[in-house]
Amino acid sequence: MSGARPPVVRRAPGKLFVAGEYAVVEPGGAAILVAVDRHITATVTEPAAGPGVLLSSDLAAAPVRWRWREGRLDPVGAADPARTRRELAHVVAAVETVARLLAEHGRPAPELDLAISSRLHQDGVKFGLGSSGAVTVATVAAVAAYAGLALSAEQRYRLALLASAGLDPKGSGGDLAASTWGGWIAYRSPDRAAVLDLARRRGVAGALAEPWPGFAVRRLPPVPGLALEVGWTGTPASTADLVSGLHRRGPRGTPAHRRYTAAAEDVVRAAAEAFEQGDRPGLLEQIRCARRELARLDDAVGLGVFTPALTALCEAAEAVGGAAKPSGAGGGDCGIALLDTAHGGTTDSGTADASPDIDQLRERWAAAGVRPLALRPALEGNEE
């Protein structure tokens, strides 16, 4: 008599935007991202009791059992079903998307217990490291593996994007790509409306197989002697709200928007070339360009990307010879700084060891109320 199936465990790293964050929301828009060494872990086990899916997460108040109804999951016995669905929206969407693929293969919806644990937040506060994307990628990978689906990295990314775009088609999917492939990546976002339409017309399996308009991704080599430092302002920001603000106040076709997207395209292309050539000074200059263009857009549209704390974070990096900018939507959360520390030692990952410049930067950040985060690039992506 065989025993219980072993648990299936999958991890996905968080992410930071290096350049192009407000351009990549356009179909075919380009950005550079880096995965970081804090992860979300999804663990799938056989159902301990009762049908459906039991979801437990340190991102939610308590475990909740969900029942399958016509391919959708509904919470059972939740005191506040609407809040429960909001708390676990990305997890639920990921499970449902895998179930759609299984149904197209004539297989039933999965019955399982799923536990989520996150290192992308602390005491309930998120650091802006892409927890929604990472939990979607980890959940897709774990549930698909539990169901016996052998998927490539790109297929896992595509399933995750279908799940995320169904909740918010404005999201670029860059976080999903960083969580899937890891390391430093150059990314172009697909046309999410076209992708969702493709899935409606051809099914999920068809959407996994056919070309996606605008989509491209490639790994970039780490640059030896380049230090990535990350500072957290202590003010969580909503990427969805800020990107929605761009759509409301900065409609496509305005001069400010056209200028930013064209400039961001040039910055991302030049920054990717600097990565591939190991050109540290060139890369730092492109980070400075990215900051200037983001500031111009912010001034023109009034998004509130550059808070006083993020401005102080950037100025502190410049004072020690580095280059810095907000990472992601801005308005709070994290900023990144890149420092050329080639005169010091470097690790195999291309991340510099401690140097006087890094020590000075962290001291300046602390004095400005910015919390340095102990993060390094995660060279591995979603584990399969």
Side-chain angles (χ1 to χ4, degrees):
M1 181 176 179
S2 61
R5 295 170 59 182
V8 174
V9 181
R10 295 292 184 269
R11 298 195 310 164
K15 67 85 180 78
L16 290 164
F17 272 95
V18 179
E21 40 271 270
Y22 276 100
V24 76
V25 297
E26 298 294 322
I32 293 175
L33 301 95
V34 61
V36 296
D37 61 349
R38 289 199 184 191
H39 297 77
I40 282 182
T41 301
T43 302
V44 177
T45 55
E46 288 186 333
V53 176
L54 179 67
L55 300 183
S56 59
S57 170
D58 52 12
L59 302 173
V64 176
R65 181 165 296 282
W66 300 67
R67 296 282 178 89
W68 288 106
R69 291 190 175 92
E70 298 181 351
R72 298 292 303 275
L73 285 169
D74 287 330
V76 178
D80 187 343
R83 178 182 176 183
T84 298
R85 187 171 290 279
R86 285 195 305 272
E87 287 178 337
L88 295 168
H90 288 87
V91 177
V92 171
V95 177
E96 289 177 342
T97 302
V98 175
R100 287 175 61 192
L101 181 60
L102 290 171
E104 291 174 11
H105 291 296
R107 297 179 55 187
E111 312 271 347
L112 50 85
D113 290 359
L114 171 61
I116 303 293
S117 62
S118 171
R119 294 190 61 239
L120 303 186
H121 72 294
Q122 183 172 315
D123 300 325
V125 177
K126 297 179 181 179
F127 292 128
L129 301 175
S131 59
S132 296
V135 77
T136 305
V137 169
T139 299
V140 162
V143 175
Y146 181 81
L149 295 173
L151 303 176
S152 67
E154 183 167 329
Q155 288 172 324
R156 298 196 306 274
Y157 156 82
R158 288 185 177 217
L159 282 174
L161 189 130
L162 288 171
S164 293
L167 297 173
D168 180 12
K170 293 186 294 295
S172 71
D175 53 352
L176 306 172
S179 293
T180 299
W181 279 278
W184 305 82
I185 63 167
Y187 173 78
R188 288 189 182 276
S189 63
D191 184 327
R192 277 80 73 198
V195 165
L196 290 173
D197 181 63
L198 175 62
R200 282 190 290 268
R201 291 185 293 106
R202 300 295 306 277
V204 175
L208 295 187
E210 295 196 15
W212 280 11
F215 168 68
V217 65
R218 74 180 193 274
R219 294 285 295 271
L220 298 172
V223 178
L226 186 75
L228 170 68
E229 289 292 305
V230 183
W232 185 58
T233 68
T235 307
S238 169
T239 298
D241 290 347
L242 284 158
V243 170
S244 294
L246 177 67
H247 283 260
R248 289 193 306 270
R249 287 170 278 177
R252 295 168 184 163
T254 63
H257 188 256
R258 286 199 305 269
R259 172 187 165 81
Y260 173 74
T261 53
E265 176 76 20
D266 291 341
V267 167
V268 169
R269 182 175 59 252
E273 291 174 357
F275 269 101
E276 290 164 342
Q277 296 167 6
D279 179 3
R280 293 186 300 274
L283 182 54
L284 294 186
E285 181 54 34
Q286 294 309 315
I287 296 301
R288 296 185 182 106
C289 288
R291 177 189 172 192
R292 288 195 296 268
E293 295 303 333
L294 195 55
R296 286 194 181 101
L297 179 69
D298 198 21
D299 290 341
V301 182
L303 290 171
V305 172
F306 281 86
T307 64
L310 282 172
T311 299
L313 180 152
C314 295
E315 291 174 348
E318 292 289 344
V320 299
K325 58 180 287 295
S327 175
D333 281 337
C334 292
I336 62 166
L338 297 181
L339 289 83
D340 183 348
T341 59
H343 55 276
T346 60
T347 66
D348 291 339
S349 68
T351 302
D353 292 327
S355 75
D357 290 343
I358 294 175
D359 293 339
Q360 290 181 40
L361 175 63
R362 292 173 180 172
E363 290 171 3
R364 287 174 180 268
W365 277 357
V370 174
R371 175 179 169 182
L373 297 180
L375 296 173
R376 288 177 178 265
L379 299 186
E380 84 286 356
N382 175 238
E383 298 176 0
E384 179 67 18

